[in-house]
Amino acid sequence: MCGIVGAYQRGGDVLPSLVEGLRMLEYRGYDSVGVGVIVDGAIAVRRRAGRIADLEKVLADGALAGCRIGIGHSRWATHGAPTDANAHPHSDASGRVLVVHNGIIENDKDLRAELEAAGTTFTSETDTEVLAHLVAAHLAEAGGDLAKALRRALAKVRGYYAIAVLHQDASGEAQLVCAREGPPLCVGAGTDGTYLASDSLAILPHTRDVLFLEDGEIAVLTPDSIRLTNREGEEVEREAQHIDWDAEDADRGGFEHFMLKEIHEQPEVIARCVQGRADLEAGDVRLDGEFFGDERLRSVERLEVLACGTALHAGLVLKYLVEGLAGIPVDVDFASEYRYRRVPSARATVAIGISQSGETADTLAALRKARDQGCDLIAICNAQGSTMVREADASILIQAGPEIGVASTKAFVGMIVAAYLFALRLGRARGSLSGEAVRERLGELQRLRGAVEALLAKERVEGLRDLADRLADQKGFLFLGRGINYPIALEGALKLKEISYLHAEGYPAGEMKHGPIAMIEPDLGAVVLAPMDGVVDKVRSNIEQVKARGGPVVCVGTDPACLELADDAVEVPEIGEWLSPILNVVPLQLFSYYVALRRGCDIDKPRNLAKSVTVE
Ligand code: M6R
């Protein structure tokens, strides 16, 4: 995910604080970086694809030294490749307005077309550049007031963004403002000036009293003051929050581990993945690329999903979604098996690779084999520019931001959201779903973010921590689920074993009686997934069978009878069957995390595992 910094100092040199701020946001991952300052009354920009060290080499000539006001950005490419030209900041044609931006401008294409028709020339492929031209276009009518111009420009924008804007007018007056609609943004006043950032970590070296912007708010910074206004332009008074994190928390944004931080990022991941793709008006989903057009999708006969580990579990969820919503048969295969098996050609017409990294060796090899067998390739992936995305005919980027913890969490949720959007698009293209039906499903998707937020509320997380503490010494667990929640049982077991080293097995609940039931005893119980679906009665009898053999049962779901019957109940918010995997997996991720914490395991770097398995 991208990072924003900015500062307006009373004196001194702003560059070191911008670079230091960018460094503090480095943990979020980035592929290009840049700064923009006002030096000798003119705006100057330096930006580079690559690392902060590459930018520092460019800054070493000292040409930008001694300026008091500036903005900086680290970019994780979404619109356009990670190049110098696409790196932020972006400016308008006059070079007087400079913008850095996190998030997505949903109607970027329409706005770009309008601006181009009016004679604007674009120099990058980013959606951000649209903002620079739009703000510049509104400056005159706003009487040169940057905050007003920004508010007018943003009224035309649909999207999800945090932005900072720097302006230098012809008389030499400089202005610095920032605005939020979605991604986080905060400001703070230090002893030597004022600061803004997308993450309070970058403000902490200057002050521990930080003001977090709410959606729709704009902050105007001067060296001595910060003024906050709302969407209507009315003044907002709000107390700054005192932050008492230590410097070593910085990398993890205040969380004890990356895994926990990434679990907590999931509501934002959902929003990012959906943003710009859900078309409620048309009752449809917009996915970039010709491949996702009606004609091409109507010719798909069978899909083959190829993936490994957690990504494979997302593939199994995709199978239920695509078969259930679009009526197309889907096979799911371990990439490591598929690549060496004799596969009759033309078993499928399209192969879908799912991967967080886009670099997993087995998955890449399996996809290349599928291509040789005549399949077209779709990538569902988190890493733009990865080998998988480059080699695929079309891709759906999940936009979860860098995932650092070895145990995949937020990428998994992003993969399922992407799979859901894909299934809806397929269903719509092939006529198995009406516009009204898609609209209904998209409505559920809109509720999902809030439901995940509710699951991550402090008291719920504490409850799961207590449960994990009590059960951390069990010999192991069976994870049981049915239907679309069967892959979640697999995922719950994988998460627990990889970070806590406890034995865990995931099973379709109906299989319990065919073998695994023999393992049940007082220190080997079951975690049972119980959404209210057509087979919940059968899940209820699974719970009874485990209890009858003395095994403890944790029930995760919504069915009141199952929750009542279990020794421990983890109730999740109601949502339709198709999205229930996401709400059921969040407690399982937290349960694994706290079991591993209790057992003193190295959570972010579990033994013997690598984040990206780029070799066989
Ligand atoms: O980068 P990928 O998504 O292709 O990685 C696939 C698996 O290696 C990965 O999901 C692995 O199973 C994780 N450690 C699970 O948490």
Side-chain angles (χ1 to χ4, degrees):
M1 300 220 210
C2 310
I4 288 177
V5 294
Y8 201 163
Q9 293 179 183
R10 275 186 213 108
D13 186 356
V14 81
L15 265 186
S17 39
L18 294 180
V19 173
E20 182 193 13
L22 290 173
R23 230 184 253 300
M24 300 203 77
L25 304 185
E26 218 174 356
Y27 75 94
R28 300 171 71 90
Y30 63 100
D31 42 36
S32 59
V33 65
V35 291
V37 295
I38 296 178
V39 61
D40 296 332
I43 278 183
V45 174
R46 300 286 186 272
R47 46 192 193 169
R48 281 289 173 274
R51 317 301 298 166
I52 293 177
D54 299 313
L55 178 69
E56 280 181 310
K57 280 186 203 145
V58 185
L59 297 175
D61 64 5
L64 305 194
C67 38
R68 298 190 298 129
I69 182 169
I71 52 180
H73 191 261
S74 50
R75 172 173 187 255
W76 168 267
T78 54
H79 283 63
T83 59
D84 288 357
N86 287 334
H88 300 205
H90 290 282
S91 90
D92 73 315
S94 73
R96 292 196 173 279
V97 174
L98 213 53
V99 175
V100 291
H101 153 236
N102 289 353
I104 299 158
I105 305 303
E106 228 183 309
N107 54 340
D108 146 65
K109 287 200 178 81
D110 298 343
L111 293 172
R112 186 178 268 253
E114 263 176 45
L115 287 160
E116 278 174 340
T120 305
T121 307
F122 280 78
T123 58
S124 77
E125 302 160 88
T126 65
D127 50 350
T128 306
E129 194 183 338
V130 162
L131 293 170
H133 295 297
L134 263 189
V135 173
H138 285 86
L139 262 170
E141 69 189 48
D145 180 329
L146 185 59
K148 257 192 205 160
L150 178 59
R151 189 169 293 108
R152 286 179 191 188
L154 292 180
K156 299 201 162 149
V157 166
R158 261 200 341 265
Y160 180 73
Y161 49 76
I163 68 173
V165 189
L166 186 61
H167 175 239
Q168 163 78 60
D169 74 13
S171 70
E173 198 198 324
Q175 300 178 72
L176 176 61
V177 304
C178 60
R180 173 190 177 179
E181 188 69 55
L185 195 62
C186 54
V187 291
T191 51
D192 56 349
T194 55
Y195 295 86
L196 66 90
S198 53
D199 187 323
S200 57
L201 292 169
I203 302 229
L204 291 184
H206 311 287
T207 175
R208 285 180 173 271
D209 296 317
V210 178
L211 199 60
F212 293 86
L213 270 72
E214 302 281 354
D215 282 352
E217 288 181 346
I218 293 183
V220 179
L221 287 80
T222 72
D224 306 300
S225 68
I226 295 172
R227 198 168 65 91
L228 209 56
T229 52
N230 64 14
R231 224 183 281 278
E232 285 71 43
E234 298 151 350
E235 250 354 90
V236 175
E237 292 288 339
R238 196 167 47 250
E239 291 271 299
Q241 285 183 38
H242 189 74
I243 312 274
D244 38 39
W245 285 338
D246 290 326
E248 59 265 27
D249 295 331
D251 280 358
R252 298 179 300 272
F255 288 95
E256 203 171 340
H257 293 94
F258 279 111
M259 181 181 174
L260 190 58
K261 170 179 162 282
E262 287 157 3
I263 291 173
H264 280 268
E265 280 174 1
Q266 293 179 126
E268 194 186 331
V269 168
I270 293 166
R272 283 171 66 95
C273 191
V274 175
Q275 196 71 39
R277 290 170 169 157
D279 188 341
L280 279 166
E281 226 166 87
D284 206 343
V285 167
R286 281 187 270 143
L287 296 173
D288 281 345
E290 238 174 77
F291 201 95
F292 299 113
D294 287 357
E295 204 182 320
R296 179 70 189 83
L297 291 183
R298 278 190 202 122
S299 68
V300 175
E301 285 165 17
R302 192 178 189 98
L303 293 166
E304 174 88 50
V305 176
L306 300 165
C308 304
T310 287
L312 180 102
H313 299 154
L316 286 167
V317 176
L318 181 146
K319 174 181 169 72
Y320 283 89
L321 289 170
V322 168
E323 291 187 345
L325 292 167
I328 299 175
V330 182
D331 299 306
V332 183
D333 219 331
F334 294 104
S336 53
E337 284 298 310
Y338 180 91
R339 67 183 289 191
Y340 292 115
R341 207 180 49 248
R342 280 196 207 159
V343 182
S345 56
R347 187 169 101 161
T349 52
V350 174
I352 304 184
I354 306 185
S355 174
Q356 189 285 128
S357 62
E359 303 294 347
T360 300
D362 282 327
T363 309
L364 291 177
L367 288 173
R368 287 171 192 148
K369 174 169 173 171
R371 157 101 68 212
D372 292 344
Q373 303 260 5
C375 290
D376 290 327
L377 305 184
I378 296 179
I380 294 183
C381 189
N382 193 31
Q384 192 188 28
S386 61
T387 309
M388 183 189 286
V389 170
R390 289 199 310 273
E391 292 186 7
D393 298 294
S395 52
I396 307 174
L397 292 172
I398 62 176
Q399 327 229 58
E403 192 178 63
I404 314 284
V406 165
S408 187
T409 52
K410 63 175 182 171
F412 179 65
V413 161
M415 288 165 186
I416 296 179
V417 174
Y420 186 76
L421 291 169
F422 175 61
L424 295 181
R425 176 80 274 277
L426 260 179
R428 191 73 168 92
R430 299 168 69 91
S432 59
L433 291 174
S434 65
E436 193 44 45
V438 170
R439 208 167 293 129
E440 234 174 77
R441 304 266 171 253
L442 291 176
E444 292 237 299
L445 195 51
Q446 282 186 324
R447 290 200 297 111
L448 184 66
R449 179 184 177 185
V452 174
E453 261 162 6
L455 276 175
L456 293 170
K458 198 163 180 272
E459 61 282 8
R460 282 193 186 245
V461 174
E462 290 298 324
L464 279 160
R465 184 180 188 149
D466 290 347
L467 178 68
D469 284 352
R470 273 193 287 116
L471 297 178
D473 294 325
Q474 287 276 300
K475 212 155 78 182
F477 291 89
L478 281 182
F479 283 76
L480 303 172
R482 292 191 81 125
I484 196 165
N485 281 288
Y486 151 56
I488 300 307
L490 297 179
E491 177 59 9
L494 174 62
K495 222 68 317 165
L496 187 66
K497 63 185 141 195
E498 72 176 325
I499 60 167
S500 76
Y501 320 140
L502 266 184
H503 180 67
E505 289 190 50
Y507 267 96
E511 277 291 297
M512 189 178 81
K513 56 188 173 296
H514 297 290
I517 195 168
M519 296 167 68
I520 299 295
E521 51 182 324
D523 58 3
L524 199 146
V527 177
V528 182
L529 302 172
M532 280 193 283
D533 58 15
V535 283
V536 73
D537 288 353
K538 313 212 181 289
V539 171
R540 214 170 294 148
S541 61
N542 283 118
I543 296 177
E544 270 157 358
Q545 287 159 17
V546 175
K547 285 191 71 170
R549 283 153 187 86
V553 176
V554 177
C555 177
V556 176
T558 47
D559 180 65
C562 288
L563 290 165
E564 171 79 32
L565 202 56
D567 299 291
D568 287 287
V570 181
E571 192 175 354
V572 304
E574 298 272 352
I575 201 115
E577 182 188 355
W578 304 116
L579 289 175
S580 64
I582 293 183
L583 295 188
N584 288 333
V585 83
V586 174
L588 301 191
Q589 296 168 339
L590 286 165
F591 178 70
S592 303
Y593 173 82
Y594 284 116
V595 168
L597 190 69
R598 177 72 174 200
R599 292 168 62 84
C601 301
D602 188 354
I603 294 181
D604 283 333
K605 294 195 185 75
R607 66 187 183 203
N608 310 331
L609 287 175
K611 180 64 187 161
S612 184
V613 188
T614 53
V615 290
E616 254 196 293

